[in-house]
Amino acid sequence: MRPRSKLPALLLGSALLAGVLGAGTVATAAGPGGAQAAPADGHTGHTGHTTAVSTRASVDDPDGDGYIPAVPPVTGVTPSHATPPPRYFHEFQANCAVTHTAPDDPIVYPGQPGRSHDHTFMGNRTTHAGSTTASLYGGDTTCKAPADASAYWMPSLYKGGEKILPVGPQVIYYKAGVTDYTSVRPFPKGLRFVVGDPLQSAQEFRGHKGWVEGWECGDSFKNVDIPQNCPAGSQLNLRMQAPSCWNGLHLDTPDHQSHMAYPLVKPGTNDNVCPASHPVALPMIEFKMAWPVDGDMSQVRLAGGRGYSFHYDFFNAWEERTLRAMVDHCVVGGLQCDTRGYDQNHPERGAVLNSDHRLP
């Protein structure tokens, strides 16, 4: 019997939506990428990729119940309330370039090619609707470190009918999301989750715990939606942070979110700690994306709808020794590392990876 956990209250609306539309239902869409005009309440109305319950049998989930157990599970962990020596940084970069685009989503719609709205994929070159932990692990990648065969993806961006792709390696941070950065441990192999929700309203996007500064271009920032105009020569930017506390039991759950949680602020302090329900501190992923588009932005949109429908997916396929070395040296070690695990402000600490971005 697999361990179960109830859906958190904030996801109840999505679960009910799935019950009305049918899990995995795809709404009829118009235009490239299936975007629709947003109704008056600010929602996109698109159901091509949601955090509602959607399950299907796959190699990773043979019975198709949506719960993929961690083997072995991580139990007996208590959230750390310790306050280690202050370090302003505890991070490294795992920068990855775009590989391809496709209307696929191996987390929400496993084994169902063409079921999702269009996504822009980074990292693993082979990611498709049928991708599994085994198919991704050890695969070719556009990430700086060859050991990072993880798959990263987000809704594709359009300007009118033209698809706009980020150019070059995109900045993907691995940070400490909790105050006790020394308690952070590597992702378990095969962990996957969705950050955000394409059905969220503008207000929900602004209030999302992963919000950093919203959409940016030129001197305009903290925008909930894509700005109407961007200065010539500027780029459209967006940063969004992922939850970093894990329940230790599941690599995925039916809603693709409830096995993960954001840290909480400890009462009476400014310390961030994991909740008791999700006691295992993992790296906090932060997407820092840049699209080469400027000028009149009135026709710029996401495949899933308006700018506030932004969300992204992560499917971990790092080689374990390399990820542990990077996390231990940079995150636990309180450094500001580049993609090789080198902090230019502390050259005496050395680097984790060699000049080929490989573990010696």
Side-chain angles (χ1 to χ4, degrees), residues 3-360:
R4 307 290 179 148
S5 59
K6 294 182 180 179
L7 294 177
L10 75 90
L11 293 171
L12 182 58
S14 290
L16 292 175
L17 178 65
V20 174
L21 296 178
T25 299
V26 180
T28 302
Q36 298 174 307
D41 66 357
H43 285 75
T44 64
H46 182 83
T47 58
H49 176 172
T50 79
T51 55
V53 174
S54 57
T55 60
R56 183 184 178 95
S58 67
V59 172
D60 285 345
D61 182 19
D63 61 9
D65 69 352
Y67 290 90
I68 301 178
V71 181
V74 178
T75 59
V77 176
T78 301
S80 176
H81 291 255
T83 303
R87 296 286 188 274
Y88 191 78
F89 295 104
H90 13 68
E91 65 184 43
F92 68 89
Q93 295 182 25
N95 300 350
C96 309
V98 170
T99 56
H100 61 287
T101 65
D104 290 352
D105 190 320
I107 293 178
V108 177
Y109 297 117
Q112 301 174 73
R115 188 69 183 271
S116 175
H117 56 239
D118 201 76
H119 284 113
T120 294
F121 292 88
M122 298 171 289
N124 197 298
R125 294 182 184 274
T126 70
T127 311
H128 58 86
S131 291
T132 63
T133 302
S135 73
L136 294 173
Y137 190 79
D140 191 20
T141 180
T142 61
C143 298
K144 290 288 188 177
D148 184 9
S150 303
Y152 308 85
W153 65 95
M154 59 191 174
S156 295
L157 186 88
Y158 291 86
K159 185 172 186 178
E162 179 187 4
K163 192 180 299 183
I164 307 295
L165 301 180
V167 177
Q170 298 300 293
V171 180
I172 301 172
Y173 290 107
Y174 280 54
K175 300 182 175 183
V178 292
T179 297
D180 184 9
Y181 55 86
T182 67
S183 68
V184 176
R185 64 181 72 193
F187 291 119
K189 182 179 178 180
L191 181 76
R192 67 209 73 180
F193 52 76
V194 178
V195 183
D197 188 335
L199 295 180
Q200 64 204 352
S201 68
Q203 294 77 14
E204 288 167 337
F205 179 52
R206 177 63 183 84
H208 193 277
K209 291 182 179 180
W211 165 280
V212 181
E213 291 184 346
W215 293 97
E216 303 176 324
C217 66
D219 294 328
S220 179
F221 56 93
K222 294 188 177 180
N223 296 292
V224 174
D225 207 348
I226 296 169
Q228 288 295 297
N229 288 278
C230 288
S234 67
Q235 296 186 108
L236 181 65
N237 298 280
L238 181 67
R239 296 165 61 190
M240 191 170 184
Q241 297 175 341
S244 59
C245 298
W246 178 45
N247 69 6
L249 303 177
H250 305 108
L251 301 178
D252 197 12
T253 42
D255 61 8
H256 317 297
Q257 293 188 339
S258 61
H259 56 306
M260 301 295 297
Y262 284 90
L264 303 174
V265 178
K266 182 179 178 180
T269 73
N270 291 320
D271 292 349
N272 292 319
V273 299
C274 284
S277 60
H278 296 73
V280 185
L282 301 178
M284 181 191 73
I285 287 181
E286 179 182 310
F287 267 31
K288 187 179 180 181
M289 304 289 107
W291 291 266
V293 59
D294 59 10
D296 179 8
M297 305 284 283
S298 61
Q299 299 300 309
V300 177
R301 57 178 176 77
L302 295 171
R306 298 279 292 274
Y308 44 80
S309 70
F310 184 81
H311 55 286
Y312 65 87
D313 301 54
F314 169 67
F315 195 139
N316 177 45
W318 273 88
E319 189 277 318
E320 296 95 326
R321 293 182 313 117
T322 306
L323 178 58
R324 175 168 291 280
M326 291 289 283
V327 169
D328 287 350
H329 183 74
C330 301
V331 180
V332 176
L335 298 176
Q336 184 185 20
C337 293
D338 62 12
T339 54
R340 291 185 52 230
Y342 175 77
D343 185 343
Q344 64 179 358
N345 298 310
H346 293 281
E348 75 282 358
R349 300 283 292 275
V352 176
L353 308 180
N354 62 23
S355 58
D356 294 327
H357 280 80
R358 298 178 184 274
L359 192 66

